[in-house]
Amino acid sequence: MSQSAVLAELVDVELEVHRPVYTRILHPLTLRVGRSTSLAVVGPSGAGKTTLAAILGALQPPSGGTYHFAGANIADLSRKESARFRNLNIGFVFQNANLIDERSAWRNVAIALTDPTLERRAVEQRCREALADVGLQAIADREAALLSGGERQRVAIARAMVKNPLMVIADEPTGALDQTTGRDVLALLYGVTARGATLVIVSHDPYAASLAASSVSLVDGRIAE
Amino acid sequence: MANATADAYLSMTSRPVRTVAMIAGILLAVASTSAAVLIADTQQAQIDLRFDAQRSGHVMIQARAPQPQGFTPEAVRQIEGLSVASEAGELSIWRESVPVASSPFTSAQSVPLVVASASGLEASGTSPVAGARLDTIDLMPAPNAVVWIGATLARRLGIRDRLQSVWIHGRSFTVAGWLQNDSGFEYINNSVVMSSATGRQHYGNGDLVRLLVKVRPGSASAVGEFAMSTLDPTGQQMLADVTPPDGEVLRANVAADVRRVGIGLGMFVGLVGMVAVANTLSMAVQQRTRELGLRSAMGFSRARIGSLILLESAMAGLVAALMGAALAHLGAYLWSASQGWEIIINPLLAPTVVAAGTFFSVLGGIVPAYRAASVSPLTAMRS
Ligand SMILES: Nc1ncnc2c1ncn2[C@@H]1O[C@H](COP(=O)(O)OP(=O)(O)OP(=O)(O)O)[C@@H](O)[C@H]1O
Ligand SMILES: [Mg+2]
C-alpha cells in the first residue's frame, strides 16, 4: 500500500485500563487502513473489536503507540480536538441505530451537522438528500420511533454520510436485523467506498465480513494471523 | 445559535409533561412575586386614598373668599362640641411673608405672619416655651401691637430677653412669648403670630383664612363636612376642606412591608423552582445519556453539550417567567377591576421578574449541564 493510499495508520497502539482492575484490553498492534476501501474486524466476543473501532474513531485515546489519520497524529489530541476531529472525519453506525425517537428522520440526520453557522434550510436540504441516497426520501418526516429496524439503520447510515466523512465506522450494523434487511443495509454501507469513504465494519456475520476488501481478526486483544 | 435554539425547543416540546414539571416552580415564583408586588402597589394606592381622608388628626377648613368678620364664634363652639372633636380655632396664614427684624437697624428675616386664636394654636399642638400663657392671645384689647414668635425665629433674630420688641415693616411690636410646635405645624416655629384683632388692625384681610379642628383619627372627613355646613350654611364664604395629608412615613412603611413580604415569598418559591429545574434537568440528562453520548460521538464539544442543557434551562425559565408575569398581571388586573380599583403597574416589574426567573432557571441548569458535558462519547458505542 503506497503512503498516500493510507488513511489510518496505527503503530504499536495498545489500551490498558487501571480501573476497576488493571486490564490490558488491546496488546500493541500495528494496522494500516487504506482510503476508499473497506476493512472488516472479526473475532470472538470480548476480543476487543469494539475497542479497536473506538480508537479508530477517536472516541477513545489509546494508552500507548501512535495513530496517524490522513497524516495527522490523533493519539494525543485533547478532548475538544478529538471532538472536532470526529466531527470532520468520522461517521458512525451503531448496532442499535441510536436515533432520537421523538424526532423525525431528517432531524435525526441533522444531529450530525453540528456546524452552528449552517443555515437551517441548507441543513434540511442536505439531510433530505442524504435520506434519498439510502432510499428513504418518502419517510423523511416520519418520527424515528415509528420506523422499522432496517429503516432505522438506513437513517443511521444517512446520518453517518451526510457530512461526507473520510471514514465510516460500523459496529455490528446488522446485528439486530433479519437476513434480507441486513443485506440491504450492507449493500448501502459498502456503497460508501464508492463515494470516497473508508468503511471499517465490525461484525460476527461471516457474510458481512466477506464483502470487505481486507479483514483483520482479533483474539484476546491481539491480531490473529 | 438558531439551530441550537431549535434543538432546545425540540427537546422541550417533545416531552411536554416533563417541561411543564420543570417550569412550574419558576412560573409559580414569578407569578407570586409579581402578583404580590402588583397587589401591594394597587392596594397601597387605595389605602393612601383613604388615609388621606381618614387618618388625619386634624381638619382644616379654608375660606376662598375674604372673611372680614372671621369665623362665627357660635359655629366654632358647635364644632368644638362634637364628641369626636376637641379644640377648634383660627390658624390663618395672614401673609406668606413679612420682614421681621430685632431692631430698626438690623437686617430683616422674611417669615410668615400667622393669625391665630388660643384654641387654634392649641389644636395645632403649639405650646408656649416662654412668656405669656396662650389664652392671653384672645384677651388682647383691640388696638395693640403685641405678637408671639416661633422659637426658631427667636433664635435667628438673636432675641434672648422676654418682652423685647420686634420690628415688622418697620413698626415695633412687643413680643409676649415664644411658641414651639412639633406636631406637623412646624412652620409656626419660624413665624410671627398675632391675634385676629391685631392682624386685621394692621394688615386688613388675611390671605389664607383657616379654621383648624383637632379631631379623633378616622373622623376627619365627617367633621370636615359638618364644619363646612355649620360655618357657612349659605355657601357664601366658599369654604374648602384642605385637611393636610400627613402620616407620609407610615404610608411608606406599609407599602414597603407588603412588598417585602411578597418579594420574600417569591424568592423562596423561586428557590424551590430552581431546585425543580435542577431535578428535572438532572433526570432528563440521565434519560438522555444515550442521546448526549451520541452527540458527543458526532463531534459536539463538551462546552456545546453543556450549553445545550443550559440553553434549555434558559428557554424554559424565560417561557415560565413570561407566563408567570402575564398570569400575575392578568390576575391582578381582574382582581382590581372586581374591586373597582385602578391597577398600579410598576413598569420595571415585568422585566425584572422575567430576568430573575430566567436567571434562577439557568442557575438550576448548571449542575445538570456539567453532568451532561461529562457523558463519554463511548456510551454511544456501548449502549
Ligand atoms: N473500560 C473498560 N474497563 C475494563 N474492561 C473493559 C473496558 N472496556 C472494555 N473492556 C473489556 O475489554 C474487552 C473487549 O471489549 P470489546 O467491547 O472491545 O469486545 P468486542 O470484541 O467488541 O466484543 P463483542 O463482540 O461482544 O461486542 C471485554 O472483555 C470488555 O469487558
Ligand atoms: Mg463489540
Side-chain angles (χ1 to χ4, degrees):
Chain A
M1 214 184 292
S2 86
Q3 199 57 32
S4 69
V6 174
L7 177 62
E9 181 177 43
L10 285 69
V11 177
D12 292 333
V13 159
E14 58 180 333
L15 183 67
E16 311 165 334
V17 292
H18 298 273
R19 269 171 300 170
V21 291
Y22 175 83
T23 316
R24 186 158 235 186
I25 300 171
L26 281 184
H27 293 267
L29 64 78
T30 295
L31 178 68
R32 287 183 184 81
V33 189
R35 287 180 190 264
S36 308
T37 182
S38 52
L39 171 74
V41 180
V42 296
S45 184
K49 306 184 295 295
T50 297
T51 306
L52 178 59
I55 289 173
L56 279 168
L59 295 175
Q60 161 113 62
S63 48
T66 60
Y67 173 18
H68 284 84
F69 187 99
N73 188 6
I74 303 307
D76 324 314
L77 292 184
S78 70
R79 272 203 282 205
K80 189 173 177 179
E81 288 163 342
S82 58
R84 190 173 150 70
F85 167 80
R86 291 194 297 273
N87 189 12
L88 292 175
N89 300 298
I90 313 284
F92 291 98
V93 177
F94 309 104
Q95 174 167 356
N96 56 356
N98 217 342
L99 305 182
I100 302 175
D101 280 342
E102 308 86 19
R103 299 203 183 176
S104 66
W106 81 261
R107 285 195 186 276
N108 266 284
V109 177
I111 300 275
L113 294 176
T114 57
D115 183 352
T117 62
L118 283 177
E119 215 193 312
R120 205 201 82 105
R121 283 254 197 78
V123 167
E124 182 169 349
Q125 175 75 16
R126 276 176 71 178
C127 293
R128 289 184 185 279
E129 280 167 19
L131 283 169
D133 288 343
V134 297
L136 292 184
Q137 64 270 46
I139 59 149
D141 293 300
R142 197 173 297 169
E143 205 175 287
L146 304 174
L147 301 179
S148 74
E151 286 167 342
R152 289 172 74 83
Q153 208 55 302
R154 276 148 73 187
V155 172
I157 293 169
R159 185 179 62 194
M161 284 306 290
V162 71
K163 281 185 305 194
N164 291 316
L166 284 173
M167 181 181 273
V168 173
I169 296 176
D171 191 357
E172 301 287 1
T174 57
L177 304 177
D178 65 65
Q179 204 175 23
T180 328
T181 317
R183 290 189 178 193
D184 293 347
V185 166
L186 285 174
L188 282 171
L189 264 179
Y190 277 99
V192 306
T193 59
R195 295 169 54 190
T198 295
L199 174 70
V200 174
I201 181 170
V202 174
S203 186
H204 279 112
D205 174 12
Y207 171 77
S210 72
L211 298 173
S214 61
S215 76
V216 56
S217 174
L218 284 183
V219 177
D220 281 344
R222 290 175 222 271
I223 294 180
E225 295 305 329
Chain B
M1 189 64 206
N3 288 326
T5 313
D7 225 344
Y9 174 79
L10 276 174
S11 293
M12 285 170 62
T13 49
S14 63
R15 300 175 186 81
V17 175
R18 194 206 84 190
T19 303
V20 167
M22 174 156 106
I23 67 173
I26 297 284
L27 194 154
L28 226 71
V30 170
S32 58
T33 309
S34 318
V37 171
L38 284 170
I39 288 171
D41 285 358
T42 301
Q43 186 142 17
Q44 196 55 54
Q46 294 302 318
I47 293 172
D48 289 352
L49 275 178
R50 291 184 198 172
F51 267 14
D52 284 344
Q54 294 293 340
R55 71 186 156 198
S56 188
H58 295 97
V59 168
M60 191 174 270
I61 304 295
Q62 183 171 308
R64 281 185 285 189
Q67 298 279 307
Q69 307 305 320
F71 298 109
T72 5
E74 184 56 35
V76 173
R77 260 196 301 282
Q78 268 190 45
I79 298 166
E80 265 183 335
L82 289 172
S83 64
V84 288
S86 34
E87 297 84 14
E90 181 165 10
L91 187 70
S92 301
I93 308 224
W94 216 252
R95 292 287 179 274
E96 286 287 350
S97 162
V98 289
V100 180
S102 57
S103 77
F105 319 109
T106 49
S107 63
Q109 312 269 352
S110 284
V111 299
L113 170 60
V114 172
V115 158
S117 68
S119 43
L121 286 171
E122 226 167 282
S124 72
T126 304
S127 49
V129 285
R133 297 209 331 259
L134 269 190
D135 51 6
T136 50
I137 199 168
D138 293 340
L139 306 173
M140 286 294 146
N144 75 72
V146 177
V147 295
W148 276 252
I149 59 174
T152 310
L153 177 61
R155 264 193 300 281
R156 281 172 63 195
L157 292 174
I159 298 179
R160 283 191 203 82
D161 305 326
R162 279 179 49 211
L163 298 175
Q164 190 178 333
S165 294
V166 292
W167 272 260
I168 308 175
H169 281 129
R171 187 186 293 132
S172 152
F173 285 81
T174 304
V175 175
W178 300 358
L179 302 174
Q180 174 77 34
N181 185 294
D182 304 309
S183 337
F185 297 86
E186 279 83 2
Y187 63 87
I188 290 174
N189 297 334
N190 202 30
S191 299
V192 175
V193 181
M194 54 181 71
S195 73
S196 169
T198 318
R200 278 172 219 284
Q201 171 195 337
H202 293 283
Y203 293 97
N205 279 329
D207 291 341
L208 300 172
V209 181
R210 291 164 160 179
L211 180 80
L212 183 69
V213 190
K214 187 167 183 196
V215 297
R216 213 181 278 162
S219 54
S221 47
V223 173
E225 267 172 50
F226 177 81
M228 294 219 285
S229 57
T230 311
L231 290 168
D232 186 22
T234 56
Q236 283 165 334
Q237 299 181 329
M238 300 179 61
L239 299 182
D241 187 341
V242 294
T243 298
D246 52 16
E248 287 288 343
V249 179
L250 170 74
R251 167 167 56 177
N253 283 348
V254 172
D257 281 353
V258 178
R259 279 163 145 267
R260 215 173 286 137
V261 168
I263 291 169
L265 183 77
M267 295 277 271
F268 180 73
V269 182
L271 280 177
V272 175
M274 191 179 90
V275 172
V277 168
N279 243 332
T280 315
L281 277 177
S282 279
M283 268 160 49
V285 164
Q286 239 157 14
Q287 279 171 6
R288 289 166 63 187
T289 316
R290 220 166 55 95
E291 176 199 328
L292 295 168
L294 175 76
R295 287 179 184 275
S296 177
M298 297 279 141
F300 274 67
S301 66
R302 280 163 59 80
R304 269 193 71 189
I305 292 180
S307 55
L308 196 75
I309 301 296
L310 277 185
L311 188 65
E312 251 184 74
S313 66
M315 278 173 62
L318 184 66
V319 169
L322 285 173
M323 283 168 67
L327 210 69
H329 280 77
L330 181 71
Y333 171 78
L334 290 177
W335 180 77
S336 309
S338 77
Q339 304 290 310
W341 295 354
E342 193 182 333
I343 187 167
I344 306 293
I345 295 177
N346 185 337
L348 283 178
L349 174 65
T352 308
V353 291
V354 168
T358 312
F359 175 75
F360 272 99
S361 187
V362 170
L363 223 56
I366 286 177
V367 170
Y370 182 79
R371 291 178 55 184
S374 308
V375 172
S376 158
L378 271 175
T379 50
M381 239 183 178
R382 297 215 175 263
S383 60

